[in-house]
mmCIF file of all heavy atoms in Angstrom:
data_model
loop_
_atom_site.group_PDB
_atom_site.id
_atom_site.type_symbol
_atom_site.label_atom_id
_atom_site.label_comp_id
_atom_site.label_asym_id
_atom_site.label_seq_id
_atom_site.Cartn_x
_atom_site.Cartn_y
_atom_site.Cartn_z
ATOM 1 N N ILE A 1 86.619 -40.926 65.463
ATOM 2 C CA ILE A 1 88.061 -40.662 65.564
ATOM 3 C C ILE A 1 88.755 -41.829 66.269
ATOM 4 O O ILE A 1 89.793 -42.310 65.819
ATOM 5 C CB ILE A 1 88.335 -39.331 66.305
ATOM 6 C CG1 ILE A 1 87.895 -38.161 65.426
ATOM 7 C CG2 ILE A 1 89.805 -39.196 66.687
ATOM 8 C CD1 ILE A 1 87.872 -36.818 66.135
ATOM 9 N N ALA A 2 88.170 -42.303 67.373
ATOM 10 C CA ALA A 2 88.765 -43.418 68.123
ATOM 11 C C ALA A 2 88.827 -44.679 67.267
ATOM 12 O O ALA A 2 89.837 -45.392 67.275
ATOM 13 C CB ALA A 2 87.957 -43.677 69.387
ATOM 14 N N GLU A 3 87.761 -44.922 66.517
ATOM 15 C CA GLU A 3 87.730 -46.110 65.653
ATOM 16 C C GLU A 3 88.798 -46.022 64.572
ATOM 17 O O GLU A 3 89.504 -46.986 64.294
ATOM 18 C CB GLU A 3 86.349 -46.247 65.014
ATOM 19 C CG GLU A 3 86.196 -47.487 64.164
ATOM 20 C CD GLU A 3 84.814 -47.592 63.544
ATOM 21 O OE1 GLU A 3 83.832 -47.241 64.213
ATOM 22 O OE2 GLU A 3 84.745 -48.015 62.374
ATOM 23 N N ALA A 4 88.925 -44.839 63.967
ATOM 24 C CA ALA A 4 89.932 -44.662 62.913
ATOM 25 C C ALA A 4 91.347 -44.756 63.488
ATOM 26 O O ALA A 4 92.250 -45.289 62.844
ATOM 27 C CB ALA A 4 89.719 -43.318 62.222
ATOM 28 N N ARG A 5 91.537 -44.245 64.708
ATOM 29 C CA ARG A 5 92.849 -44.287 65.354
ATOM 30 C C ARG A 5 93.276 -45.732 65.610
ATOM 31 O O ARG A 5 94.445 -46.086 65.500
ATOM 32 C CB ARG A 5 92.807 -43.511 66.670
ATOM 33 C CG ARG A 5 94.161 -43.340 67.309
ATOM 34 C CD ARG A 5 94.129 -42.571 68.627
ATOM 35 N NE ARG A 5 93.585 -41.240 68.472
ATOM 36 C CZ ARG A 5 92.563 -40.756 69.187
ATOM 37 N NH1 ARG A 5 91.972 -41.493 70.105
ATOM 38 N NH2 ARG A 5 92.129 -39.534 68.990
ATOM 39 N N ASP A 6 92.293 -46.568 65.932
ATOM 40 C CA ASP A 6 92.586 -47.983 66.208
ATOM 41 C C ASP A 6 93.031 -48.753 64.966
ATOM 42 O O ASP A 6 93.558 -49.848 65.076
ATOM 43 C CB ASP A 6 91.355 -48.682 66.807
ATOM 44 C CG ASP A 6 91.059 -48.198 68.217
ATOM 45 O OD1 ASP A 6 91.958 -47.598 68.844
ATOM 46 O OD2 ASP A 6 89.923 -48.399 68.683
ATOM 47 N N LYS A 7 92.838 -48.163 63.797
ATOM 48 C CA LYS A 7 93.176 -48.856 62.552
ATOM 49 C C LYS A 7 94.642 -48.708 62.157
ATOM 50 O O LYS A 7 95.030 -49.130 61.076
ATOM 51 C CB LYS A 7 92.263 -48.385 61.423
ATOM 52 C CG LYS A 7 90.831 -48.843 61.643
ATOM 53 C CD LYS A 7 89.940 -48.527 60.507
ATOM 54 C CE LYS A 7 88.550 -49.070 60.809
ATOM 55 N NZ LYS A 7 87.591 -48.737 59.808
ATOM 56 N N GLY A 8 95.422 -48.038 62.974
ATOM 57 C CA GLY A 8 96.855 -48.018 62.695
ATOM 58 C C GLY A 8 97.426 -46.653 62.371
ATOM 59 O O GLY A 8 97.000 -45.647 62.910
ATOM 60 N N ASP A 9 98.417 -46.631 61.472
ATOM 61 C CA ASP A 9 99.214 -45.461 61.101
ATOM 62 C C ASP A 9 98.327 -44.264 60.753
ATOM 63 O O ASP A 9 97.597 -44.282 59.773
ATOM 64 C CB ASP A 9 100.111 -45.822 59.909
ATOM 65 C CG ASP A 9 101.054 -44.685 59.552
ATOM 66 O OD1 ASP A 9 101.147 -43.716 60.342
ATOM 67 O OD2 ASP A 9 101.701 -44.773 58.497
ATOM 68 N N LEU A 10 98.398 -43.199 61.561
ATOM 69 C CA LEU A 10 97.557 -42.019 61.361
ATOM 70 C C LEU A 10 98.019 -41.153 60.190
ATOM 71 O O LEU A 10 97.235 -40.392 59.632
ATOM 72 C CB LEU A 10 97.528 -41.172 62.638
ATOM 73 C CG LEU A 10 96.935 -41.843 63.869
ATOM 74 C CD1 LEU A 10 96.930 -40.882 65.051
ATOM 75 C CD2 LEU A 10 95.537 -42.354 63.603
ATOM 76 N N SER A 11 99.271 -41.269 59.790
ATOM 77 C CA SER A 11 99.782 -40.423 58.713
ATOM 78 C C SER A 11 99.177 -40.779 57.364
ATOM 79 O O SER A 11 99.129 -39.942 56.468
ATOM 80 C CB SER A 11 101.314 -40.504 58.651
ATOM 81 O OG SER A 11 101.705 -41.813 58.293
ATOM 82 N N GLU A 12 98.707 -42.003 57.208
ATOM 83 C CA GLU A 12 98.112 -42.413 55.938
ATOM 84 C C GLU A 12 96.685 -42.912 56.117
ATOM 85 O O GLU A 12 96.194 -43.729 55.361
ATOM 86 C CB GLU A 12 98.965 -43.520 55.297
ATOM 87 C CG GLU A 12 100.342 -43.053 54.917
ATOM 88 C CD GLU A 12 101.170 -44.173 54.306
ATOM 89 O OE1 GLU A 12 100.595 -45.205 53.934
ATOM 90 O OE2 GLU A 12 102.392 -43.998 54.210
ATOM 91 N N ASN A 13 96.003 -42.373 57.125
ATOM 92 C CA ASN A 13 94.673 -42.852 57.461
ATOM 93 C C ASN A 13 93.640 -41.789 57.065
ATOM 94 O O ASN A 13 93.377 -40.848 57.801
ATOM 95 C CB ASN A 13 94.612 -43.154 58.965
ATOM 96 C CG ASN A 13 93.349 -43.871 59.364
ATOM 97 O OD1 ASN A 13 92.328 -43.737 58.715
ATOM 98 N ND2 ASN A 13 93.436 -44.621 60.458
ATOM 99 N N ALA A 14 93.042 -41.951 55.900
ATOM 100 C CA ALA A 14 92.058 -40.992 55.392
ATOM 101 C C ALA A 14 90.816 -40.967 56.274
ATOM 102 O O ALA A 14 90.182 -39.919 56.444
ATOM 103 C CB ALA A 14 91.684 -41.332 53.958
ATOM 104 N N GLU A 15 90.471 -42.104 56.826
ATOM 105 C CA GLU A 15 89.294 -42.191 57.695
ATOM 106 C C GLU A 15 89.492 -41.312 58.933
ATOM 107 O O GLU A 15 88.579 -40.608 59.371
ATOM 108 C CB GLU A 15 89.098 -43.651 58.103
ATOM 109 C CG GLU A 15 87.687 -44.004 58.464
ATOM 110 C CD GLU A 15 87.520 -45.483 58.727
ATOM 111 O OE1 GLU A 15 88.020 -46.315 57.943
ATOM 112 O OE2 GLU A 15 86.883 -45.803 59.749
ATOM 113 N N TYR A 16 90.705 -41.332 59.485
ATOM 114 C CA TYR A 16 91.033 -40.513 60.650
ATOM 115 C C TYR A 16 90.951 -39.029 60.286
ATOM 116 O O TYR A 16 90.365 -38.237 61.012
ATOM 117 C CB TYR A 16 92.425 -40.871 61.165
ATOM 118 C CG TYR A 16 92.880 -40.032 62.335
ATOM 119 C CD1 TYR A 16 92.435 -40.300 63.617
ATOM 120 C CD2 TYR A 16 93.761 -38.970 62.144
ATOM 121 C CE1 TYR A 16 92.847 -39.535 64.697
ATOM 122 C CE2 TYR A 16 94.186 -38.195 63.213
ATOM 123 C CZ TYR A 16 93.715 -38.485 64.489
ATOM 124 O OH TYR A 16 94.129 -37.709 65.556
ATOM 125 N N ASP A 17 91.532 -38.681 59.132
ATOM 126 C CA ASP A 17 91.495 -37.283 58.691
ATOM 127 C C ASP A 17 90.064 -36.800 58.504
ATOM 128 O O ASP A 17 89.710 -35.678 58.891
ATOM 129 C CB ASP A 17 92.285 -37.110 57.387
ATOM 130 C CG ASP A 17 93.780 -37.321 57.576
ATOM 131 O OD1 ASP A 17 94.257 -37.208 58.729
ATOM 132 O OD2 ASP A 17 94.473 -37.604 56.574
ATOM 133 N N ALA A 18 89.229 -37.637 57.894
ATOM 134 C CA ALA A 18 87.827 -37.268 57.657
ATOM 135 C C ALA A 18 87.084 -37.091 58.984
ATOM 136 O O ALA A 18 86.297 -36.153 59.147
ATOM 137 C CB ALA A 18 87.143 -38.321 56.801
ATOM 138 N N ALA A 19 87.339 -37.978 59.938
ATOM 139 C CA ALA A 19 86.675 -37.885 61.238
ATOM 140 C C ALA A 19 87.114 -36.627 61.983
ATOM 141 O O ALA A 19 86.289 -35.942 62.604
ATOM 142 C CB ALA A 19 86.981 -39.135 62.067
ATOM 143 N N LYS A 20 88.391 -36.305 61.917
ATOM 144 C CA LYS A 20 88.891 -35.073 62.555
ATOM 145 C C LYS A 20 88.289 -33.830 61.899
ATOM 146 O O LYS A 20 87.939 -32.869 62.573
ATOM 147 C CB LYS A 20 90.426 -35.010 62.480
ATOM 148 C CG LYS A 20 91.151 -35.968 63.390
ATOM 149 C CD LYS A 20 90.935 -35.684 64.853
ATOM 150 C CE LYS A 20 91.778 -34.530 65.339
ATOM 151 N NZ LYS A 20 91.614 -34.268 66.766
ATOM 152 N N GLU A 21 88.179 -33.865 60.573
ATOM 153 C CA GLU A 21 87.585 -32.743 59.852
ATOM 154 C C GLU A 21 86.115 -32.572 60.252
ATOM 155 O O GLU A 21 85.649 -31.462 60.480
ATOM 156 C CB GLU A 21 87.697 -32.964 58.343
ATOM 157 C CG GLU A 21 87.204 -31.788 57.530
ATOM 158 C CD GLU A 21 87.376 -31.987 56.033
ATOM 159 O OE1 GLU A 21 88.305 -32.710 55.622
ATOM 160 O OE2 GLU A 21 86.571 -31.420 55.284
ATOM 161 N N TRP A 22 85.387 -33.670 60.332
ATOM 162 C CA TRP A 22 83.984 -33.626 60.743
ATOM 163 C C TRP A 22 83.860 -33.047 62.149
ATOM 164 O O TRP A 22 83.016 -32.186 62.411
ATOM 165 C CB TRP A 22 83.370 -35.030 60.667
ATOM 166 C CG TRP A 22 81.953 -35.125 61.164
ATOM 167 C CD1 TRP A 22 80.948 -34.219 60.965
ATOM 168 C CD2 TRP A 22 81.375 -36.160 61.964
ATOM 169 N NE1 TRP A 22 79.783 -34.642 61.569
ATOM 170 C CE2 TRP A 22 80.024 -35.840 62.193
ATOM 171 C CE3 TRP A 22 81.876 -37.347 62.482
ATOM 172 C CZ2 TRP A 22 79.166 -36.640 62.925
ATOM 173 C CZ3 TRP A 22 81.010 -38.154 63.210
ATOM 174 C CH2 TRP A 22 79.674 -37.797 63.430
ATOM 175 N N GLN A 23 84.741 -33.496 63.041
ATOM 176 C CA GLN A 23 84.705 -32.994 64.407
ATOM 177 C C GLN A 23 84.972 -31.484 64.440
ATOM 178 O O GLN A 23 84.316 -30.743 65.162
ATOM 179 C CB GLN A 23 85.722 -33.724 65.281
ATOM 180 C CG GLN A 23 85.673 -33.283 66.737
ATOM 181 C CD GLN A 23 86.774 -33.903 67.569
ATOM 182 O OE1 GLN A 23 87.920 -33.974 67.137
ATOM 183 N NE2 GLN A 23 86.421 -34.363 68.751
ATOM 184 N N GLY A 24 85.918 -31.026 63.654
ATOM 185 C CA GLY A 24 86.231 -29.594 63.607
ATOM 186 C C GLY A 24 85.056 -28.763 63.116
ATOM 187 O O GLY A 24 84.738 -27.719 63.689
ATOM 188 N N LYS A 25 84.400 -29.245 62.047
ATOM 189 C CA LYS A 25 83.226 -28.536 61.535
ATOM 190 C C LYS A 25 82.094 -28.527 62.559
ATOM 191 O O LYS A 25 81.434 -27.511 62.755
ATOM 192 C CB LYS A 25 82.739 -29.187 60.228
ATOM 193 C CG LYS A 25 83.601 -28.888 59.039
ATOM 194 C CD LYS A 25 83.042 -29.535 57.782
ATOM 195 C CE LYS A 25 83.929 -29.250 56.589
ATOM 196 N NZ LYS A 25 83.441 -29.872 55.363
ATOM 197 N N LEU A 26 81.903 -29.653 63.206
ATOM 198 C CA LEU A 26 80.862 -29.770 64.215
ATOM 199 C C LEU A 26 81.102 -28.801 65.365
ATOM 200 O O LEU A 26 80.191 -28.088 65.800
ATOM 201 C CB LEU A 26 80.799 -31.208 64.735
ATOM 202 C CG LEU A 26 79.750 -31.506 65.801
ATOM 203 C CD1 LEU A 26 78.349 -31.305 65.245
ATOM 204 C CD2 LEU A 26 79.918 -32.927 66.322
ATOM 205 N N GLU A 27 82.329 -28.738 65.848
ATOM 206 C CA GLU A 27 82.650 -27.821 66.951
ATOM 207 C C GLU A 27 82.454 -26.365 66.528
ATOM 208 O O GLU A 27 81.996 -25.539 67.323
ATOM 209 C CB GLU A 27 84.071 -28.053 67.457
ATOM 210 C CG GLU A 27 84.261 -29.384 68.163
ATOM 211 C CD GLU A 27 83.347 -29.595 69.360
ATOM 212 O OE1 GLU A 27 83.013 -28.618 70.078
ATOM 213 O OE2 GLU A 27 82.948 -30.756 69.597
ATOM 214 N N GLY A 28 82.776 -26.052 65.274
ATOM 215 C CA GLY A 28 82.534 -24.702 64.762
ATOM 216 C C GLY A 28 81.049 -24.368 64.722
ATOM 217 O O GLY A 28 80.642 -23.268 65.100
ATOM 218 N N GLU A 29 80.244 -25.325 64.275
ATOM 219 C CA GLU A 29 78.792 -25.118 64.225
ATOM 220 C C GLU A 29 78.211 -24.967 65.628
ATOM 221 O O GLU A 29 77.324 -24.144 65.853
ATOM 222 C CB GLU A 29 78.115 -26.283 63.511
ATOM 223 C CG GLU A 29 78.351 -26.307 62.014
ATOM 224 C CD GLU A 29 77.717 -27.520 61.348
ATOM 225 O OE1 GLU A 29 76.659 -27.984 61.814
ATOM 226 O OE2 GLU A 29 78.284 -28.006 60.351
ATOM 227 N N ILE A 30 78.698 -25.762 66.574
ATOM 228 C CA ILE A 30 78.229 -25.665 67.957
ATOM 229 C C ILE A 30 78.546 -24.285 68.524
ATOM 230 O O ILE A 30 77.698 -23.641 69.143
ATOM 231 C CB ILE A 30 78.837 -26.790 68.826
ATOM 232 C CG1 ILE A 30 78.187 -28.131 68.463
ATOM 233 C CG2 ILE A 30 78.677 -26.485 70.320
ATOM 234 C CD1 ILE A 30 78.841 -29.346 69.117
ATOM 235 N N ALA A 31 79.757 -23.804 68.301
ATOM 236 C CA ALA A 31 80.156 -22.488 68.807
ATOM 237 C C ALA A 31 79.298 -21.386 68.188
ATOM 238 O O ALA A 31 78.863 -20.457 68.884
ATOM 239 C CB ALA A 31 81.635 -22.238 68.511
ATOM 240 N N LYS A 32 79.041 -21.504 66.889
ATOM 241 C CA LYS A 32 78.225 -20.502 66.192
ATOM 242 C C LYS A 32 76.800 -20.508 66.743
ATOM 243 O O LYS A 32 76.224 -19.444 67.003
ATOM 244 C CB LYS A 32 78.236 -20.829 64.697
ATOM 245 C CG LYS A 32 77.589 -19.817 63.817
ATOM 246 C CD LYS A 32 77.791 -20.230 62.363
ATOM 247 C CE LYS A 32 76.952 -19.424 61.421
ATOM 248 N NZ LYS A 32 77.056 -19.894 60.040
ATOM 249 N N LEU A 33 76.240 -21.683 66.940
ATOM 250 C CA LEU A 33 74.887 -21.813 67.458
ATOM 251 C C LEU A 33 74.789 -21.260 68.877
ATOM 252 O O LEU A 33 73.821 -20.572 69.217
ATOM 253 C CB LEU A 33 74.482 -23.286 67.427
ATOM 254 C CG LEU A 33 73.021 -23.639 67.306
ATOM 255 C CD1 LEU A 33 72.336 -22.875 66.185
ATOM 256 C CD2 LEU A 33 72.865 -25.132 67.062
ATOM 257 N N LYS A 34 75.804 -21.532 69.704
ATOM 258 C CA LYS A 34 75.820 -21.002 71.069
ATOM 259 C C LYS A 34 75.836 -19.470 71.059
ATOM 260 O O LYS A 34 75.171 -18.829 71.875
ATOM 261 C CB LYS A 34 77.021 -21.527 71.841
ATOM 262 C CG LYS A 34 76.845 -22.928 72.351
ATOM 263 C CD LYS A 34 78.056 -23.361 73.170
ATOM 264 C CE LYS A 34 77.823 -24.724 73.792
ATOM 265 N NZ LYS A 34 78.956 -25.150 74.630
ATOM 266 N N ALA A 35 76.582 -18.894 70.123
ATOM 267 C CA ALA A 35 76.647 -17.432 70.023
ATOM 268 C C ALA A 35 75.291 -16.850 69.625
ATOM 269 O O ALA A 35 74.857 -15.832 70.176
ATOM 270 C CB ALA A 35 77.722 -17.019 69.022
ATOM 271 N N VAL A 36 74.622 -17.490 68.680
ATOM 272 C CA VAL A 36 73.299 -17.017 68.249
ATOM 273 C C VAL A 36 72.313 -17.111 69.408
ATOM 274 O O VAL A 36 71.563 -16.174 69.682
ATOM 275 C CB VAL A 36 72.797 -17.818 67.027
ATOM 276 C CG1 VAL A 36 71.330 -17.524 66.753
ATOM 277 C CG2 VAL A 36 73.632 -17.501 65.799
ATOM 278 N N ILE A 37 72.319 -18.240 70.104
ATOM 279 C CA ILE A 37 71.385 -18.446 71.208
ATOM 280 C C ILE A 37 71.645 -17.454 72.341
ATOM 281 O O ILE A 37 70.712 -16.884 72.902
ATOM 282 C CB ILE A 37 71.464 -19.902 71.721
ATOM 283 C CG1 ILE A 37 70.834 -20.835 70.678
ATOM 284 C CG2 ILE A 37 70.778 -20.057 73.072
ATOM 285 C CD1 ILE A 37 71.065 -22.314 70.927
ATOM 286 N N SER A 38 72.916 -17.214 72.656
ATOM 287 C CA SER A 38 73.220 -16.289 73.747
ATOM 288 C C SER A 38 72.842 -14.850 73.417
ATOM 289 O O SER A 38 72.541 -14.070 74.312
ATOM 290 C CB SER A 38 74.695 -16.378 74.129
ATOM 291 O OG SER A 38 75.504 -15.818 73.118
ATOM 292 N N GLY A 39 72.812 -14.516 72.130
ATOM 293 C CA GLY A 39 72.438 -13.162 71.743
ATOM 294 C C GLY A 39 71.007 -13.034 71.258
ATOM 295 O O GLY A 39 70.602 -11.988 70.751
ATOM 296 N N ALA A 40 70.216 -14.080 71.440
ATOM 297 C CA ALA A 40 68.844 -14.075 70.923
ATOM 298 C C ALA A 40 67.933 -13.160 71.734
ATOM 299 O O ALA A 40 68.052 -13.064 72.953
ATOM 300 C CB ALA A 40 68.282 -15.491 70.932
ATOM 301 N N LYS A 41 67.065 -12.504 71.040
ATOM 302 C CA LYS A 41 66.033 -11.670 71.664
ATOM 303 C C LYS A 41 64.696 -12.210 71.201
ATOM 304 O O LYS A 41 64.384 -12.200 70.013
ATOM 305 C CB LYS A 41 66.220 -10.218 71.230
ATOM 306 C CG LYS A 41 65.136 -9.301 71.695
ATOM 307 C CD LYS A 41 65.658 -8.322 72.713
ATOM 308 C CE LYS A 41 64.622 -7.267 73.037
ATOM 309 N NZ LYS A 41 63.870 -7.549 74.220
ATOM 310 N N ILE A 42 63.910 -12.722 72.130
ATOM 311 C CA ILE A 42 62.604 -13.301 71.816
ATOM 312 C C ILE A 42 61.598 -12.165 71.643
ATOM 313 O O ILE A 42 61.508 -11.276 72.485
ATOM 314 C CB ILE A 42 62.120 -14.245 72.946
ATOM 315 C CG1 ILE A 42 63.193 -15.231 73.335
ATOM 316 C CG2 ILE A 42 60.805 -14.891 72.563
ATOM 317 C CD1 ILE A 42 63.405 -16.378 72.433
ATOM 318 N N ILE A 43 60.859 -12.232 70.554
ATOM 319 C CA ILE A 43 59.859 -11.203 70.262
ATOM 320 C C ILE A 43 58.473 -11.752 70.563
ATOM 321 O O ILE A 43 58.127 -12.858 70.148
ATOM 322 C CB ILE A 43 59.937 -10.771 68.791
ATOM 323 C CG1 ILE A 43 61.298 -10.143 68.512
ATOM 324 C CG2 ILE A 43 58.833 -9.799 68.453
ATOM 325 C CD1 ILE A 43 61.519 -9.805 67.070
ATOM 326 N N ASP A 44 57.677 -10.964 71.260
ATOM 327 C CA ASP A 44 56.293 -11.323 71.547
ATOM 328 C C ASP A 44 55.412 -10.659 70.488
ATOM 329 O O ASP A 44 55.232 -9.442 70.508
ATOM 330 C CB ASP A 44 55.911 -10.843 72.945
ATOM 331 C CG ASP A 44 54.483 -11.186 73.319
ATOM 332 O OD1 ASP A 44 53.774 -11.816 72.505
ATOM 333 O OD2 ASP A 44 54.072 -10.832 74.443
#
């Protein structure tokens, strides 16, 4: 995101949009994984 932001006008910067989208998906996956881990029950 920082690299894409340094390239100039954000309104027409596809690289910036793609990086923001990737970050959003990543944060969603992290939150989902944290929820699974916090509710995990280990079976012996």
Side-chain angles (χ1 to χ4, degrees):
I1 290 169
E3 183 180 322
R5 188 180 301 126
D6 290 342
K7 292 186 178 176
D9 185 10
L10 298 182
S11 65
E12 295 179 15
N13 190 333
E15 205 174 314
Y16 177 79
D17 292 339
K20 288 295 282 182
E21 185 177 331
W22 176 40
Q23 183 186 43
K25 285 181 181 179
L26 180 64
E27 292 302 326
E29 288 177 33
I30 288 172
K32 187 175 169 185
L33 207 49
K34 281 183 175 182
V36 169
I37 288 169
S38 71
K41 174 112 172 97
I42 311 283
I43 297 175
D44 180 1

